[in-house]
Amino acid sequence: MTAMAHASWTEQIDTVLSTTSDLLFSWVLMWLLVGAGIFFTVRTRAVQLRHANAIAASVAGSRDGRHGGITSFQAFAVGLACRVGTGNIVGVALALIMGGPGAVLWMWLVAILGTATAFSEATLAQLFKVRRADGTYRGGPAYYISRGLRLPILGAVFAIVFLIANGLVMPMVQANAITSSLQGAGGISPSLGAVLVVVLTAPVLLGGLRAMARVAEYLAPLMALAYLALVLAILLTHPVQAWEALRSIIEGAFGLRQGLGGLAGGVTAALLNGVRRGLFSNEAGLGGAACAAGSATVEHPVQQGFIQAFGVVVDTLFVCTATALAILVAGADVFQPGATAKETAGTLTQDAIAHLVGEWSRWPMALLVVVLAYTTIIGAFSYAQVCLDYLTDRPWVSRALQIGAVICAGIGSVQQLTTVWTLADVLLGVGAIINLAALVLLSRWVVGALRDWESRRGAPTSDGNRPAFSGDSEHLPSALPEGAWERPVIR
């Protein structure tokens, strides 16, 4: 009787968590994130279009380490490590299955709106960041909620929510993806995969934020570039199919051709599935990338806003589009809109590429999934570390979290813990709602920082250097609180 009662109790918890997660991510957050994208596009006077050149050029010089701490590019790479993950492979495939080729166009639209949101949260993270004793910075939602809104308790709530979800549960989720991929490609047992995961993650996670940034700086961009190069080669060798794939995206989005809808049919399925995938792939407004952005050392807050906005472009307009085109170019032998079962989403991209370039590609694709999941562990844990540093600066607490993350990665490698994963989704959803509310309430600071950057861009001093940004700029609503934003000293 006791065992049956326990089973019933856990099933009820699973049901409540699943229902809450579905509600948050299928409807509540979807419309909040779209609304935020529209709001910040209007509020910044379409910064993503007016300053498209600055966003595109933001990577240039971002690896400059003369200021000490974590470079702008390293912070960008950490955010990219989380953005460009297994969701770009599996999630896009599922969006195509459920929404048809037209879902891709709506992903593009959401990405364009999301760049304004990503710019805003990264700029705020810079404005309200604080310098630590070791010369590095910490910033993000917990910090701008505490210092900008003057709500330190709400900042602590956000930090705790994000710490649990990203520091303990995310390593479990991604470690499971790693062992599943290795088992599927080469029959490697989960236990052996668990050993590999622990060996790979322990040195980086235990090495602290600087170590995570250094690994992400190389791995995340290189894997994204390798994947994009592979898909580009496919498109160049299949020009007719590539053109037809682009046509199917446009026609499917507006219902111009029958048979291109998803399982739910028509434009509505394309719209909803494309919007959902775009929103949760680029992470704009969810708060995580802002944690990375606030750690960067830059001369003006807007600089990091631009480079984080570029991360949305890379994630959705490049990587997600590459996945979609690879599947569509493979054609009816692999994918048929409205007919392909959603259960095939996990292997659909690998099947498409294997069909186009040969079975030999399955192992490289499995390796890609492994590296994407690995870099996501690193990126997500760095978010948790930033949140922990908001709560306490005691070294032993930080070390305990690092060890706990490695243990969780080992556990997640050998077994799926569905309830824990669903709880993480709920926590991330709650954190995102808190973050979005803070972003809107602090939007005048974003506009002020942008105006300051625009005014300084064309106003060099007598010695030929642009005037430095300061916390009491006349364009800001008021002076920044003491300890927030300290201009870096060039070494």
Side-chain angles (χ1 to χ4, degrees):
M1 180 67 72
T2 303
M4 293 178 61
H6 175 71
S8 176
W9 180 71
T10 55
E11 288 173 1
Q12 289 177 6
I13 292 177
D14 287 342
T15 301
V16 170
L17 288 175
S18 297
T19 302
T20 305
S21 177
D22 290 342
L23 178 64
L24 281 173
F25 286 90
S26 297
W27 295 104
V28 176
L29 274 175
M30 186 176 80
W31 296 116
L32 286 178
L33 289 166
V34 169
I38 295 171
F39 175 82
F40 283 109
T41 296
V42 173
R43 195 80 171 84
T44 61
R45 296 184 296 125
V47 62
Q48 67 270 55
L49 301 180
R50 291 192 301 115
H51 294 303
N53 289 339
I55 292 174
S58 60
V59 176
S62 61
R63 297 190 71 232
D64 185 354
R66 292 177 300 162
H67 301 121
I70 292 173
T71 68
S72 179
F73 184 81
Q74 286 175 330
F76 159 76
V78 168
L80 189 66
C82 272
R83 284 189 171 111
V84 181
T86 53
N88 294 83
I89 307 296
V90 180
V92 173
L94 185 60
L96 281 176
I97 291 170
M98 301 299 293
V104 179
L105 185 139
W106 300 114
M107 283 168 43
W108 295 341
L109 179 60
V110 163
I112 293 171
L113 292 175
T115 51
T117 308
F119 167 83
S120 300
E121 64 179 350
T123 300
L124 282 175
Q126 278 289 316
L127 281 170
F128 294 100
K129 71 183 182 182
V130 297
R131 189 198 293 269
R132 289 171 58 82
D134 62 358
T136 60
Y137 291 96
R138 297 292 184 273
Y143 293 84
Y144 55 70
I145 290 170
S146 174
R147 292 169 169 265
L149 295 179
R150 303 186 187 281
L151 296 173
I153 294 178
L154 185 60
V157 170
F158 177 90
I160 292 170
V161 163
F162 247 53
L163 188 156
I164 295 171
N166 286 293
L168 299 176
V169 182
M170 190 61 73
M172 298 173 70
V173 175
Q174 297 300 326
N176 192 267
I178 290 174
T179 53
S180 296
S181 180
L182 292 174
Q183 187 175 22
I188 296 177
S189 67
S191 57
L192 182 59
V195 173
L196 177 63
V197 167
V198 171
V199 168
L200 288 174
T201 57
V204 181
L205 298 190
L206 295 175
L209 199 59
R210 277 196 172 105
M212 294 177 232
R214 284 195 296 268
V215 172
E217 178 181 13
Y218 294 101
L219 266 185
L222 285 177
M223 291 310 296
L225 286 173
Y227 183 54
L228 291 174
L230 172 61
V231 176
L232 179 61
I234 290 173
L235 298 180
L236 292 176
T237 54
H238 298 78
V240 176
Q241 294 92 328
W243 175 249
E244 181 59 29
L246 289 172
R247 280 186 56 194
S248 70
I249 289 171
I250 304 300
E251 294 174 349
F254 299 105
L256 301 178
R257 193 198 305 179
Q258 296 297 318
L260 290 180
L263 297 181
V267 176
T268 302
L271 172 62
L272 291 178
N273 285 282
V275 168
R276 287 171 186 163
R277 173 43 33 205
L279 288 172
F280 300 118
S281 176
N282 64 53
E283 293 192 354
L286 297 184
C291 294
S295 302
T297 308
V298 293
E299 293 189 359
H300 197 289
V302 164
Q303 291 176 256
Q304 198 61 31
F306 285 145
I307 197 168
Q308 294 300 138
F310 183 67
V312 174
V313 174
V314 172
D315 173 84
T316 306
L317 297 185
F318 292 170
V319 180
C320 287
T321 300
T323 297
L325 289 176
I327 293 171
L328 293 174
V329 166
D333 290 337
V334 174
F335 171 70
Q336 297 184 42
T340 302
K342 64 180 181 180
E343 289 77 17
T344 65
T347 59
L348 186 58
T349 305
Q350 292 93 320
D351 292 342
I353 291 177
H355 175 75
L356 292 166
V357 303
E359 288 295 320
W360 63 267
S361 66
R362 290 193 180 275
W363 254 111
M365 283 300 297
L367 178 62
L368 173 69
V369 172
V370 168
V371 176
L372 290 178
Y374 175 59
T375 55
T376 300
I377 291 175
I378 295 171
F381 186 82
S382 75
Y383 299 167
Q385 184 68 63
V386 168
C387 290
L388 180 64
D389 290 341
Y390 171 83
L391 297 169
T392 179
D393 59 358
R394 295 178 181 176
W396 72 267
V397 179
S398 180
R399 180 61 69 184
L401 178 64
Q402 293 164 355
I403 294 172
V406 174
I407 293 173
C408 285
I411 294 173
S413 299
V414 294
Q415 58 183 324
Q416 295 188 11
L417 301 173
T418 307
T419 302
V420 177
W421 296 356
T422 309
L423 175 61
D425 283 342
V426 173
L427 292 175
L428 289 172
V430 171
I433 292 172
I434 295 173
N435 182 54
L436 288 169
L439 290 178
V440 172
L441 292 173
L442 294 170
S443 60
R444 56 184 182 153
W445 290 89
V446 177
V447 175
L450 179 57
R451 287 175 178 168
D452 182 272
W453 179 84
E454 290 170 340
S455 67
R456 296 175 188 278
R457 183 177 56 161
T461 59
S462 57
D463 62 0
N465 296 319
R466 296 188 181 94
F469 174 80
S470 63
D472 58 355
S473 167
E474 62 180 9
H475 297 281
L476 296 177
S478 63
L480 286 167
E482 184 179 356
W485 174 264
E486 295 182 27
R487 184 169 182 262
V489 177
I490 297 178
R491 290 178 174 177

